[in-house]
Amino acid sequence: MATPLHISISEKLRRQIEVGEYKSGDRLPSEHQLMETFNVSRITARQAVANLVSQGLAIAYRGKGVFVTPQKKVTYSLSSPLVFLEQDMARQGITFSFENLAFESMPAAADVAAELGIVEKSEVYRQKKLLRMDGAAGAVDISYLSTELGEPFVPLFQRQMTFPTLAQNGIPVERLDGVIECTHADYDLSGYLEVPLGHALMVYRYTAYSSDQQPVLHGSTISRADRFCYSLSTRSGS
Amino acid sequence: MATPLHISISEKLRRQIEVGEYKSGDRLPSEHQLMETFNVSRITARQAVANLVSQGLAIAYRGKGVFVTPQKKVTYSLSSPLVFLEQDMARQGITFSFENLAFESMPAAADVAAELGIVEKSEVYRQKKLLRMDGAAGAVDISYLSTELGEPFVPLFQRQMTFPTLAQNGIPVERLDGVIECTHADYDLSGYLEVPLGHALMVYRYTAYSSDQQPVLHGSTISRADRFCYSLSTRSGS
DNA sequence: TCGCTCAGCTTGTTATGACAAGTGAGCTTA
DNA sequence: TAAGCTCACTTGTCATAACAAGCTGAGCGA
């Protein structure tokens, strides 16, 4: 046998999940059951389960068992900054809610100041919010706005609980630049987003510019890769 | 101690990596050294290392040791389908090469046929290529083109080894729709892209439309999340 | 000097054993 | 009946032990 035992076991379970033998939310065999079924030690059975968890296919709860990960994904459209996330999600049949985690004013860090085109340590508002999808954590958004901006930016920013740009609230935003990347959950984020350590997360780091080409808002959305994806459409026409 | 030993150890190492005590490519202490330093069993030391690997911070090589993951990322611009990946990468100081993994004609699967607007099981060309960045695997791209398309599409598709759209080769592409999502590496892909099982991967699934709004090319680029990110810019102007 | 072998390092796989801690069902008790 | 407790089952943490397999360099022999 070239392939390790724990790989054969996890691959077999993975196929069963893909075929539908175990459906979304189903409970997988316990470690003890795997030990008996495949006649292996608990370490090997645990390793097989760990493989599935690291692939995002399952999630383990102490005292309860191991369950197949629910798959429902939200597609968030970046094609136009005028589309509301709320509309996207309602159309996709997912209920959602926002939770305000923090709102404060603070001196801008170097990277935030650079993005907003202001002097380092200038005062900025910082808003941190949690998006829940069907009750479960889906994404965390942290955004910054200079306190020097007047109407209509500041009051709207203080009120707004949506995602992720001011353009969605009728604020005149001309351009929205962004970078999408992907990381692994560290110990802190894994607790926040209710995912195992190392789970794939998407990071959307954006900066919104007003009609006079001045940066207005900067922030990043950290979302669970198993619940979020971004769609976009570009045209080559000038 | 509420936090497990293996978490304390991996978190300590993570901080040392972030501070720069261990730099990109440096070798981390071996399991045996960790056992002595922290006075723990090999299981605990291994678990600590596994935590770092699952977070994408380190990678282990049998017989050699555990090394801090190189961090260099390529930013690929999706703002305009006219930008060449080659230019992006050259500007970012990364050498690259393409490797043709497969080129064949085959009946179209249901999802491919739907994207290309053709009948299921129509004949399509399938091209699979590997992108190497500084010698190491970076991404795999699989793209489909209907064999019924004539000039200039087919001959250019057969020749082209670039990434990921025909627009980059002077073929008239009017619109490029895409979805970016993120998954974990399964056993196969982890071997292909030289990453540990469960490593975060970005998937860019795209469809290119010609000037008469007909779909021309469909494919997906599966890239290592530690080496790739996508940038985009959208305008709200009509 | 060149090339080969092998010892000694590394991580990978696997077994056995033990206790901790969370969950939930069922029983006991007020 | 209702509240609370116990117990069985679950995953999480951690130790000791052994062998497999990949890598590297020292040392030997040609």
Side-chain angles (χ1 to χ4, degrees):
Chain A
M1 289 276 276
T3 56
L5 282 175
H6 63 88
I7 292 284
S8 342
I9 297 173
S10 63
E11 283 292 289
K12 176 160 188 178
L13 289 171
R14 187 179 62 77
R15 280 193 298 272
Q16 288 180 302
I17 291 172
E18 280 174 1
V19 165
E21 215 159 315
Y22 293 109
K23 286 170 195 142
S24 184
D26 278 5
R27 187 174 158 198
L28 293 176
S30 72
E31 292 172 358
H32 193 75
Q33 286 173 305
L34 290 178
M35 287 169 70
E36 289 196 342
T37 306
F38 296 96
N39 197 30
V40 294
S41 75
R42 197 180 159 208
I43 283 203
T44 307
R46 267 186 81 71
Q47 183 68 50
V49 173
N51 291 341
L52 295 175
V53 171
S54 82
Q55 289 175 72
L57 292 171
I59 182 159
Y61 298 99
R62 178 190 285 198
K64 297 176 76 174
V66 181
F67 299 83
V68 178
T69 309
Q71 302 276 19
K72 238 180 189 178
K73 267 193 188 180
V74 171
T75 301
Y76 180 56
S77 174
L78 291 173
S79 309
S80 155
L82 292 173
V83 178
F84 290 71
L85 177 69
E86 285 85 341
Q87 293 176 4
D88 274 359
M89 293 182 60
R91 193 169 46 233
Q92 292 168 55
I94 293 175
T95 65
F96 64 95
S97 63
F98 286 102
E99 192 176 309
N100 198 2
L101 297 178
F103 187 86
E104 60 194 347
S105 64
M106 58 184 293
D111 58 330
V112 173
E115 288 288 342
L116 289 178
I118 59 178
V119 180
E120 193 175 337
K121 294 179 185 169
S122 307
E123 196 177 29
V124 290
Y125 289 119
R126 174 177 178 274
Q127 187 185 55
K128 186 174 179 181
K129 49 188 183 286
L130 175 69
L131 167 66
R132 294 189 171 277
M133 297 158 50
D134 288 340
V140 172
D141 183 80
I142 302 172
S143 52
Y144 300 90
L145 185 84
S146 171
T147 56
E148 287 176 11
L149 292 171
E151 301 271 355
F153 300 107
V154 173
L156 263 172
F157 184 64
Q158 288 172 325
R159 276 210 310 276
Q160 77 129 6
M161 283 301 288
T162 106
F163 232 54
T165 94
L166 291 172
Q168 299 170 347
N169 283 324
I171 289 189
V173 165
E174 173 68 16
R175 194 172 96 239
L176 179 64
D177 284 359
V179 172
I180 296 178
E181 56 187 341
C182 190
T183 62
H184 297 262
D186 59 26
Y187 193 54
D188 285 343
L189 276 173
S190 70
Y192 247 125
L193 290 174
E194 302 165 6
V195 291
L197 187 67
H199 189 92
L201 301 178
M202 299 189 80
V203 180
Y204 176 42
R205 197 170 291 118
Y206 53 88
T207 303
Y209 296 83
S210 62
S211 46
D212 56 355
Q213 300 298 319
Q214 290 303 306
V216 173
L217 177 78
H218 172 67
S220 43
T221 298
I222 303 169
S223 55
R224 290 176 51 164
D226 57 340
R227 295 178 167 259
F228 236 82
C229 63
Y230 293 95
S231 79
L232 44 112
S233 175
T234 57
R235 280 160 210 285
S236 59
S238 60
Chain B
M1 289 278 275
T3 57
L5 282 174
H6 62 88
I7 293 283
S8 338
I9 297 174
S10 63
E11 282 293 288
K12 177 160 188 178
L13 289 171
R14 188 180 62 77
R15 281 193 298 272
Q16 287 180 303
I17 291 171
E18 279 175 1
V19 166
E21 215 160 313
Y22 293 109
K23 285 170 195 144
S24 182
D26 278 5
R27 185 174 159 196
L28 293 175
S30 73
E31 293 172 359
H32 192 73
Q33 287 173 306
L34 290 178
M35 287 169 69
E36 289 194 344
T37 307
F38 296 96
N39 198 30
V40 294
S41 75
R42 195 177 161 210
I43 285 201
T44 307
R46 264 186 83 72
Q47 183 67 51
V49 173
N51 292 340
L52 295 175
V53 171
S54 82
Q55 289 174 72
L57 292 171
I59 183 158
Y61 297 99
R62 176 189 287 197
K64 296 176 76 175
V66 181
F67 299 84
V68 179
T69 309
Q71 302 277 18
K72 236 181 190 177
K73 266 193 190 182
V74 170
T75 301
Y76 179 57
S77 174
L78 291 173
S79 309
S80 155
L82 291 174
V83 178
F84 290 70
L85 176 71
E86 286 85 340
Q87 291 175 7
D88 276 359
M89 294 183 60
R91 193 168 48 234
Q92 292 167 55
I94 294 176
T95 64
F96 64 94
S97 63
F98 286 100
E99 191 176 310
N100 197 2
L101 298 178
F103 186 86
E104 59 193 347
S105 63
M106 57 183 294
D111 58 330
V112 173
E115 288 288 341
L116 289 179
I118 58 178
V119 180
E120 193 176 337
K121 296 180 182 168
S122 306
E123 195 177 30
V124 291
Y125 289 119
R126 174 176 177 273
Q127 188 185 56
K128 187 174 180 182
K129 48 188 185 283
L130 175 69
L131 167 67
R132 294 189 170 276
M133 296 158 50
D134 288 340
V140 172
D141 183 79
I142 302 172
S143 52
Y144 299 89
L145 186 83
S146 169
T147 57
E148 287 176 11
L149 291 170
E151 302 272 352
F153 300 107
V154 172
L156 264 171
F157 183 65
Q158 288 172 324
R159 274 210 312 275
Q160 77 131 4
M161 283 300 290
T162 104
F163 233 53
T165 93
L166 291 172
Q168 298 169 346
N169 283 323
I171 288 189
V173 165
E174 174 68 17
R175 193 172 98 240
L176 178 64
D177 285 359
V179 172
I180 296 178
E181 58 187 341
C182 190
T183 61
H184 297 262
D186 60 25
Y187 192 55
D188 285 342
L189 276 173
S190 69
Y192 247 125
L193 291 173
E194 302 166 5
V195 292
L197 188 66
H199 189 92
L201 301 178
M202 300 188 81
V203 180
Y204 176 43
R205 198 170 292 117
Y206 54 87
T207 304
Y209 296 83
S210 63
S211 46
D212 55 355
Q213 302 297 321
Q214 290 304 305
V216 173
L217 178 77
H218 173 65
S220 42
T221 299
I222 304 168
S223 54
R224 291 176 51 162
D226 58 339
R227 295 180 167 257
F228 236 83
C229 64
Y230 292 95
S231 79
L232 43 113
S233 175
T234 58
R235 281 158 210 286
S236 59
S238 61

